Amino acid sequence: MSRLLAVDWGSSSLRGALLDDEGTVLDSRSSARGMLAVAKGSFADAFESTFGDWMDAEPTVCLIAGMAGSRQGWLEAPYCSCPAGLEELAAALVPIPDFSARGWSIALVPGLSHMSRDVPDVMRGEETQIMGALRLLGVQDARVVLPGTHSKWASVQGGRVVGFETFMSGEFFALLRQHSILKHSVADAETRPDWPAFDAGIDRAREAACLLRSAFSVRTLSLFGVHSPDASLSYLSGLVIGEELRCQALPHDQPVVVVGAAALTERYQRALSRSGVSVTALDAPAAWSGLRAIHDRSFAMGTAHEHD
Amino acid sequence: MSRLLAVDWGSSSLRGALLDDEGTVLDSRSSARGMLAVAKGSFADAFESTFGDWMDAEPTVCLIAGMAGSRQGWLEAPYCSCPAGLEELAAALVPIPDFSARGWSIALVPGLSHMSRDVPDVMRGEETQIMGALRLLGVQDARVVLPGTHSKWASVQGGRVVGFETFMSGEFFALLRQHSILKHSVADAETRPDWPAFDAGIDRAREAACLLRSAFSVRTLSLFGVHSPDASLSYLSGLVIGEELRCQALPHDQPVVVVGAAALTERYQRALSRSGVSVTALDAPAAWSGLRAIHDRSFAMGTAHEHD
């Protein structure tokens, strides 16, 4: 075992952390060279210019999670089917050969796929955060939500993701506030949420049972002078998050684990509490713990890519 | 009674028809000078340049439905509360004085508002189409849907709209196909729907019971090679229309009246039939019949604006 360079290479950002044996972050870096900003064929250059000095100095071992493993990324890491946990992910790591001549051992963590009623679903990056959350919380069974542009709701049993679903909540919220007729009703930016308006959105989502129906009320409540632009934006946020929660089979005997940035987990926590569900919020960088855990399992299994 | 200039002045178009006593269209015109293309204060000019010769020649009486009566329009025609039918609309016409010196009698038809569980809803223009549909079909009770950017579902009893709801279906469809991640999966344009894919969308919408959840399947089914770009676009259309239908209390003892352009009513007809609901589709210009009916009622009530 040794230091590990843990990398989270998403669509819009490239972040890396130097981890010690315990997974403690010794140093970290981030850049705007997310997958969408890197031309096909330029991933090796982007990696070297961002992390080359670290790789030369000591770690030599790097594990990358996220969209860099997609078809449009550095190298495709095929999806691993659910149920899948540390063992399945470790066994399916995809080595990147570009820098093997320099002794750098780099591998991609695959995403997960899940088939439900003939409809496939996929995630890339979140599987690593889920593994990290389990490690940080010391649990093997959980209902986990990772809110975001495409929120992921996963069910974990015995350390394995047994199923998950994607909700395009963050993207719908952005489309509605920026591109729809509702843009005339909502404030451009939000400092702090207007909580009563947010709560009203949560409640309305449950009543309306359909975002196509509830969304127009952002306009009418503004038109009738009930909501200010600030309140309208928080109300819309409540409508969208409330719609996402409406569709969940929520556990009432254990907390839901919410993994994400504090500004977002705070909203989910409030909305879930309103449904009588307790929450464990985790805004620690779960990806780093996940990458450390996947690497350690790979090493223990003797499949560690540094021995390839 | 006399000829009537019937005008439908919507957000994106200005259309007018010369109607005889029976409501038969003698001539019609349309222009791109919809409300959004006309500066506040320039509505009189736009009207005169489009219809001035007709008004001078004979009709002298004009009734206007649509967004021209909104706060941003020519003159605000306050919403009329439900329940409302021909009588309430005729009594609430708002005369436009701009051309009274020239003997032109022009009035705006008000929109409708409806309050349900403290949430207001509004329509402008559709109330006139509903009145027209009732006249054309010779019915007084109906469940009517007007599909579009903002679809309206109205319940009509005894000739009065007793309640209605707005679904932002057309706008969601446009946002998702043009601005979301799904734009990479769907074809740019659609010639004819791929009906099996459309049907699959209808069925999936019912199963998923949440568009936030079902929408991502457009991407994954494309990613997994199940749907071509053409099929993906039709599937997305089915998902959105299916979601709108999922939320309706559909009558199984009478047909649903669908009022709109044939390309759209065809989809609703197919989707409703799939739910075991029969349909009366009306792609006749219901607005003209509605304006004739509202004017005739106003005349009969002695509140005809030409006598103001």
Side-chain angles (χ1 to χ4, degrees):
Chain A
M1 301 254 268
S2 59
R3 288 190 180 183
L4 172 70
L5 170 55
V7 172
D8 180 10
W9 204 332
S11 297
S12 54
S13 74
L14 169 59
R15 302 182 309 132
L18 271 179
L19 308 180
D20 70 10
D21 285 6
E22 303 297 317
T24 305
V25 176
L26 304 174
D27 202 353
S28 68
R29 283 179 188 168
S30 68
S31 95
R33 303 187 73 175
M35 190 201 70
L36 298 176
V38 177
K40 188 85 185 164
S42 301
F43 282 85
D45 288 347
F47 179 83
E48 187 182 14
S49 65
T50 311
F51 301 117
D53 57 334
W54 278 357
M55 290 298 281
D56 277 332
E58 186 194 348
T60 72
V61 180
C62 170
L63 211 51
I64 303 175
M67 295 302 287
S70 70
R71 207 173 293 170
Q72 292 76 34
W74 192 344
L75 191 68
E76 187 174 0
Y79 293 107
C80 188
S81 299
C82 287
L86 287 180
E87 191 169 326
E88 290 76 11
L89 290 168
L93 295 179
V94 173
I96 293 179
D98 299 38
F99 295 100
S100 48
R102 284 169 69 174
W104 296 359
S105 173
I106 309 171
L108 290 161
V109 176
L112 296 186
S113 66
H114 175 59
M115 190 71 79
S116 172
R117 303 197 209 186
D118 295 331
V119 179
D121 208 332
V122 294
M123 61 167 62
R124 256 192 211 284
E126 293 91 350
E127 72 297 323
T128 299
Q129 291 181 271
I130 293 170
M131 294 301 123
L134 298 178
R135 178 179 160 126
L136 288 167
L137 298 171
V139 300
Q140 293 284 295
D141 301 279
R143 186 111 172 94
V144 184
V145 53
L146 301 105
T149 305
H150 298 158
S151 294
K152 307 289 181 181
W153 282 80
S155 296
V156 181
Q157 291 172 15
R160 287 184 167 82
V161 177
V162 294
F164 65 89
E165 288 190 308
T166 301
F167 291 77
M168 289 178 58
S169 310
E171 186 158 12
F172 271 64
F173 178 62
L175 291 171
L176 290 170
R177 69 181 286 195
Q178 289 166 16
H179 296 291
S180 83
I181 194 176
L182 306 182
K183 73 182 175 193
H184 304 299
S185 304
V186 303
D188 285 340
E190 191 182 40
T191 43
R192 285 288 300 162
D194 176 325
W195 289 120
F198 177 82
D199 292 346
I202 296 287
D203 295 345
R204 178 66 190 147
R206 197 177 302 132
E207 271 176 14
C210 178
L211 186 61
L212 291 181
R213 162 196 272 148
S214 63
F216 196 64
S217 65
V218 175
R219 177 165 171 78
T220 54
L221 288 168
S222 161
L223 203 61
F224 282 63
V226 177
H227 282 161
S228 68
D230 284 331
S232 292
L233 186 58
S234 298
Y235 176 73
L236 176 60
S237 171
L239 280 183
V240 175
I241 292 174
E243 178 75 351
E244 183 182 321
L245 297 192
R246 180 183 67 75
C247 301
Q248 307 304 326
L250 294 171
H252 286 269
D253 55 342
Q254 60 172 358
V256 166
V257 178
V258 185
V259 182
L264 205 48
T265 59
E266 185 184 23
R267 289 169 194 243
Y268 278 71
Q269 187 150 16
R270 187 174 176 103
L272 282 160
S273 299
R274 218 170 160 77
S275 301
V277 176
S278 63
V279 169
T280 303
L282 201 64
D283 65 357
W288 306 151
S289 299
L291 287 162
R292 182 81 249 180
I294 295 166
H295 176 267
D296 293 355
R297 179 60 61 99
S298 162
F299 189 84
M301 287 162 66
T303 61
H305 50 91
E306 59 259 58
H307 302 294
D308 279 347
Chain B
M1 300 250 272
S2 58
R3 288 192 181 184
L4 171 70
L5 171 55
V7 172
D8 180 9
W9 204 331
S11 298
S12 53
S13 74
L14 168 60
R15 302 183 307 133
L18 272 179
L19 308 181
D20 71 9
D21 285 6
E22 303 296 317
T24 304
V25 175
L26 304 173
D27 201 353
S28 67
R29 284 178 188 170
S30 68
S31 95
R33 301 186 75 174
M35 190 201 71
L36 298 177
V38 178
K40 188 85 186 165
S42 301
F43 283 85
D45 287 346
F47 179 84
E48 187 182 15
S49 65
T50 312
F51 302 117
D53 58 333
W54 278 356
M55 290 298 281
D56 276 333
E58 185 193 349
T60 71
V61 180
C62 170
L63 210 50
I64 304 175
M67 296 302 287
S70 69
R71 206 174 293 170
Q72 292 76 35
W74 192 344
L75 191 67
E76 186 173 3
Y79 293 108
C80 187
S81 299
C82 287
L86 286 179
E87 191 168 327
E88 290 78 9
L89 289 168
L93 295 180
V94 173
I96 293 178
D98 300 37
F99 295 100
S100 48
R102 285 169 69 173
W104 298 359
S105 173
I106 310 171
L108 290 161
V109 177
L112 296 186
S113 65
H114 174 60
M115 189 71 80
S116 172
R117 303 197 209 188
D118 295 331
V119 179
D121 208 331
V122 294
M123 61 167 62
R124 254 192 212 286
E126 292 91 350
E127 73 296 323
T128 299
Q129 292 181 270
I130 293 170
M131 293 302 123
L134 298 179
R135 176 178 161 126
L136 289 167
L137 298 172
V139 299
Q140 293 284 297
D141 302 278
R143 186 110 172 93
V144 184
V145 53
L146 301 105
T149 304
H150 299 159
S151 294
K152 307 287 180 181
W153 282 80
S155 295
V156 181
Q157 291 173 15
R160 288 185 167 80
V161 178
V162 294
F164 65 89
E165 288 190 309
T166 301
F167 291 78
M168 289 178 58
S169 309
E171 185 158 13
F172 272 63
F173 178 63
L175 291 172
L176 290 171
R177 69 181 286 195
Q178 290 166 16
H179 296 291
S180 82
I181 194 175
L182 306 182
K183 72 182 174 194
H184 304 299
S185 305
V186 303
D188 286 340
E190 191 181 40
T191 44
R192 284 289 299 163
D194 175 326
W195 289 120
F198 177 82
D199 291 346
I202 296 287
D203 294 345
R204 178 65 190 148
R206 198 178 300 131
E207 272 175 14
C210 177
L211 186 61
L212 291 180
R213 164 196 271 148
S214 63
F216 197 64
S217 65
V218 176
R219 177 164 171 78
T220 56
L221 288 167
S222 160
L223 202 60
F224 281 63
V226 177
H227 282 162
S228 68
D230 284 331
S232 291
L233 186 58
S234 297
Y235 176 73
L236 176 60
S237 171
L239 281 184
V240 174
I241 292 175
E243 178 76 351
E244 183 182 320
L245 297 192
R246 181 182 66 75
C247 303
Q248 307 303 328
L250 294 171
H252 286 269
D253 55 342
Q254 61 173 356
V256 167
V257 178
V258 185
V259 182
L264 204 48
T265 59
E266 185 183 23
R267 289 168 194 243
Y268 278 72
Q269 187 150 16
R270 187 173 177 104
L272 282 160
S273 299
R274 218 169 159 78
S275 302
V277 177
S278 63
V279 168
T280 303
L282 201 65
D283 64 359
W288 305 151
S289 299
L291 286 162
R292 182 82 247 179
I294 294 166
H295 176 266
D296 292 355
R297 179 60 60 101
S298 162
F299 190 85
M301 287 162 66
T303 60
H305 49 91
E306 58 260 58
H307 302 293
D308 280 346

